Amino acid sequence: MPTLEWIGKEKVINHHQEVPFRVLDRKYSYDENGQHNEDNGSENMIIRGDNLEALKALLPRYEGRVKCIYIDPPYNTGNEGWVYNDNVNDPKIKKWLGEVVGKEGEDLTRHDKWLCMMYPRLKLLQKLLAEDGAIFISIDDTEFYNLRMLCNEIFGEHNFITTIIWRKNYAPKSTAKHFSEDHDYILVFGKNADKWIPHKMPRTEKQNKAYKNPDNDPRGLWRPNNLAARNFYSKGTYSITCPSGRVIEAPPAGSYWRVSEEKFKELDNEGRIWWGKDGNNVPAPKIYLSEVADGVVPQTFWPYEEVGHTQEAKKEIKEIFVGDTPFDTPKPTRLLERILQISSDPDSIILDSFAGSGTTAHAVLNTNKADGGNRKFILVEMMDYADSITAERVKRVINGYGEGSKAISGTGGNFSFYDLGEPLLLGENLNEAVETEKIREYIWFMETKAPYAPASSENAYFLGSHNDAAYYFYYEPQTVTILDYAFLSTIKEKAETTVIYADRCSISEEKLTQMGIVFKKIPRDISRL
């Protein structure tokens, strides 16, 4: 498979492993009763902070669980400013990252910068994606080729699903130098393309009008399908005699009948072939409306009439905030609702790590209201407006906004707002400023790769059991803990293997092995993400 090379690649391909793991610090929660300090238990999250560190912080709880990811990263047109100050420990990368990206003529390395910024983020997004999940990435021609190659490398070329064309403008740009750019792309990759099954789209009235019943078929409305296809079929080259007596010697040049002669005769005997009113037409198998009433397969061209356009998106934000916002190219809510219709289930987790104005959360809340679902959203936004705009928009969508004839009723719902908190490790030591429960969650995930839930046990250090192993984290921030026989006497949960973290151990390795116990030293044996 061809690979993409750029300056600095070798410094960032493993950078996601070097990013420090930080805990998430909940600042407040919000629901229909307003904002409060108490945790309302919401699984909806808005996180303020660099998305690379935020994605790393999500791994212990969400690796392999996110059904649908949508991101709208910087397009790198040269007319925008983006700052992602990744701490890549290399002079060349430090020189590039964390600076405002300039126009092509001012900075010939801006494509390298963009690739260095995107690579580790996509690596973490791939880890968070569920086996039957998919990622949707908005982009334009500036970086489309680079993004496709990048995703081929990270997700696997065999997991490429499609490229969607979204017609985003309803009027041509008369000031364009060469062409009026009226569309964006949405690149779609699956974690495992064979396991990702898109939902069908609801049928439209226009689609249903294509179905007629000129022969009064008792099975109902139908439309004709083309019997000929260009795909090679060894049994698809027979002659056909029409009811009128006309003989069709073979399929049209360069094509084949899509069914065998035996299957064709079977369909004809069942009255599923349309020969035209005079019985002289090229035969066409019937497709009944009743057979496709459950929906239509999603298409790759999305016109703005169906999913909205950029001006609609700007109008939405103005109506919510009653004024201008700092977004030049926001996405319409209908666009995200289409993605959710195709790629989410009623209980799915949806992630957007370039959250901007919060359109993804808006779409999730709308979709839940429409079908009674319980989809959860996770938004990440690094800019200062994460609270004042991103979260504020979600608050207004929950409660309703607008006045008079333009009033939009609230969707209901809730969320919690987080900042990136302390790093778990300071050098080689555990950070004592981090809550013990956060460390327990991290240890549990590193051992089991399973979601953490506090265990019910008489032993306060018990983490839980998983796959015939019991786990204990014997840790006190201000005290040296020792795995000894006194501690073993407090263990009630039995398992084939017992893994115990402690500062020290006074029992011989031979004796531990006989008892089926694995000692792990704090902090030496704490694995790094």
Side-chain angles (χ1 to χ4, degrees):
M1 181 185 75
T3 58
L4 181 66
E5 298 295 330
W6 68 91
I7 299 172
K9 178 180 180 180
E10 73 280 4
K11 302 299 181 182
V12 297
I13 55 176
N14 293 315
H15 178 48
H16 63 287
Q17 297 174 348
E18 302 168 5
V19 174
F21 175 81
R22 307 179 83 91
V23 299
L24 295 174
D25 180 16
R26 189 183 63 84
K27 309 306 291 186
Y28 66 82
S29 293
Y30 190 90
D31 49 41
E32 292 169 86
N33 294 319
Q35 181 172 317
H36 41 83
N37 293 327
E38 296 76 20
D39 189 349
N40 61 9
S42 177
E43 296 182 81
N44 295 320
M45 307 171 73
I46 300 177
I47 304 169
R48 177 171 54 195
D50 186 279
N51 52 17
L52 186 60
E53 293 185 333
L55 292 173
K56 188 74 171 272
L58 290 170
L59 282 178
R61 186 175 176 187
Y62 292 102
E63 182 169 2
R65 296 182 59 205
V66 178
K67 177 73 171 181
C68 174
I69 296 173
Y70 170 77
I71 60 172
D72 183 18
Y75 284 11
N76 202 17
T77 60
N79 295 320
E80 69 215 307
W82 53 270
V83 179
Y84 291 88
N85 190 17
D86 297 342
N87 187 23
V88 182
N89 191 23
D90 179 85
K92 288 186 296 184
I93 307 299
K94 284 184 176 180
K95 179 182 177 182
W96 293 336
L97 297 176
E99 298 176 358
V100 176
V101 177
K103 295 183 178 180
E104 188 75 38
E106 299 168 356
D107 184 355
L108 297 178
T109 66
R110 68 186 179 89
H111 298 287
D112 299 296
K113 290 182 185 179
W114 189 86
L115 288 164
C116 287
M117 181 274 291
M118 288 295 294
Y119 193 95
R121 288 166 173 80
L122 288 172
K123 288 286 287 188
L124 292 176
L125 289 168
Q126 193 269 349
K127 288 179 176 292
L128 289 162
L129 198 60
E131 278 294 308
D132 61 347
I135 183 171
F136 294 72
I137 309 174
S138 285
I139 203 71
D140 73 357
D141 282 302
T142 308
E143 296 290 358
F144 174 79
Y145 171 79
N146 288 335
L147 178 63
R148 173 65 195 273
M149 293 291 287
L150 210 58
C151 288
N152 282 350
E153 184 170 332
I154 294 171
F155 291 89
E157 188 174 11
H158 56 287
N159 288 318
F160 168 71
I161 293 173
T162 195
T163 301
I164 296 165
I165 306 297
W166 167 46
R167 190 181 180 195
K168 63 179 181 179
N169 292 326
Y170 65 86
K173 298 178 181 178
S174 59
T175 58
K177 183 178 180 180
H178 295 119
F179 289 87
S180 175
E181 296 179 359
D182 296 331
H183 72 274
D184 275 355
Y185 304 102
I186 302 176
L187 192 62
V188 187
F189 271 79
K191 179 72 167 281
N192 184 332
D194 292 335
K195 293 185 178 181
W196 184 74
I197 301 174
H199 298 302
K200 291 184 177 181
M201 297 299 303
R203 298 191 61 81
T204 65
E205 189 63 29
K206 181 180 179 180
Q207 290 167 333
N208 289 341
K209 285 182 178 179
Y211 289 77
K212 312 290 183 181
N213 196 353
D215 60 350
N216 296 315
D217 191 315
R219 287 163 288 198
L221 299 174
W222 56 269
R223 69 169 178 82
N225 191 21
N226 194 343
L227 182 64
R230 292 192 174 277
N231 294 336
F232 172 76
Y233 182 40
S234 61
K235 296 182 179 181
T237 56
Y238 49 90
S239 64
I240 295 176
T241 301
C242 299
S244 66
R246 172 193 174 196
V247 177
I248 302 172
E249 296 292 345
S255 62
Y256 305 84
W257 301 130
R258 65 175 65 244
V259 297
S260 67
E261 186 172 11
E262 292 75 19
K263 182 64 176 179
F264 176 81
K265 289 178 180 179
E266 180 184 326
L267 292 172
D268 192 26
N269 290 335
E270 294 174 355
R272 293 184 65 108
I273 298 295
W274 172 243
W275 299 91
K277 291 184 178 180
D278 57 3
N280 197 44
N281 286 8
V282 175
K286 295 179 179 180
I287 298 177
Y288 292 95
L289 179 59
S290 59
E291 296 173 330
V292 298
D294 62 332
V296 295
V297 174
Q299 296 176 294
T300 56
F301 175 67
W302 293 3
Y304 59 73
E305 293 90 346
E306 295 180 7
V307 298
H309 46 67
T310 301
Q311 291 303 314
E312 177 180 315
K314 291 180 178 180
K315 182 180 177 183
E316 276 183 330
I317 297 175
K318 287 182 178 181
E319 289 176 348
I320 294 171
F321 290 100
V322 194
D324 294 329
T325 63
F327 300 100
D328 294 326
T329 56
K331 300 299 181 285
T333 304
R334 288 197 290 158
L335 178 69
L336 271 298
E337 288 173 356
R338 167 67 62 87
I339 291 173
L340 295 179
Q341 286 173 339
I342 290 171
S343 64
S344 76
D345 300 317
D347 60 349
S348 293
I349 298 170
I350 319 299
L351 170 63
D352 182 348
S353 57
F354 291 86
S357 68
T359 305
T360 297
H362 191 161
V364 169
L365 292 168
N366 279 355
T367 305
N368 282 344
K369 182 180 180 180
D371 67 7
N374 187 33
R375 296 167 186 81
K376 278 76 68 176
F377 62 79
I378 303 172
L379 305 188
V380 183
E381 178 51 56
M382 69 176 290
M383 302 302 286
D384 291 339
Y385 55 71
D387 192 15
S388 61
I389 295 180
T390 312
E392 182 62 28
R393 176 179 183 175
V394 179
K395 294 174 186 177
R396 298 187 185 194
V397 170
I398 289 172
N399 292 326
Y401 57 90
E403 297 180 352
S405 61
K406 294 184 177 181
I408 304 296
S409 60
T411 60
N414 51 58
F415 69 92
S416 286
F417 187 88
Y418 297 82
D419 277 333
L420 285 172
E422 294 278 346
L424 183 77
L425 296 164
L426 294 176
E428 295 299 319
N429 298 311
L430 280 175
N431 184 352
E432 294 185 357
V434 174
E435 295 177 21
T436 301
E437 196 66 12
K438 296 288 187 181
I439 305 174
R440 289 165 58 88
E441 179 179 351
Y442 179 88
I443 298 294
W444 173 259
F445 172 77
M446 296 307 298
E447 288 285 354
T448 68
K449 301 300 182 184
Y452 173 73
S456 176
S457 173
E458 295 179 8
N459 190 314
Y461 305 104
F462 180 58
L463 294 178
S465 296
H466 184 78
N467 290 345
D468 298 320
Y471 296 91
Y472 289 82
F473 184 56
Y474 186 22
Y475 169 74
E476 293 290 345
Q478 304 296 327
T479 306
V480 174
T481 59
I482 301 174
L483 171 55
D484 53 18
Y485 287 106
F487 179 76
L488 290 182
S489 68
T490 67
I491 291 179
K492 306 299 182 184
E493 292 75 12
K494 304 297 183 181
E496 289 185 16
T497 303
T498 302
V499 179
I500 303 174
Y501 284 81
D503 293 314
R504 296 177 186 173
C505 179
S506 64
I507 304 174
S508 70
E509 187 173 338
E510 181 181 1
K511 191 64 177 177
L512 290 174
T513 301
Q514 291 175 0
M515 293 186 290
I517 294 173
V518 177
F519 165 63
K520 294 198 173 183
K521 182 176 176 58
I522 300 172
R524 181 194 66 195
D525 295 328
I526 295 178
S527 300
R528 269 55 168 178
L529 278 167

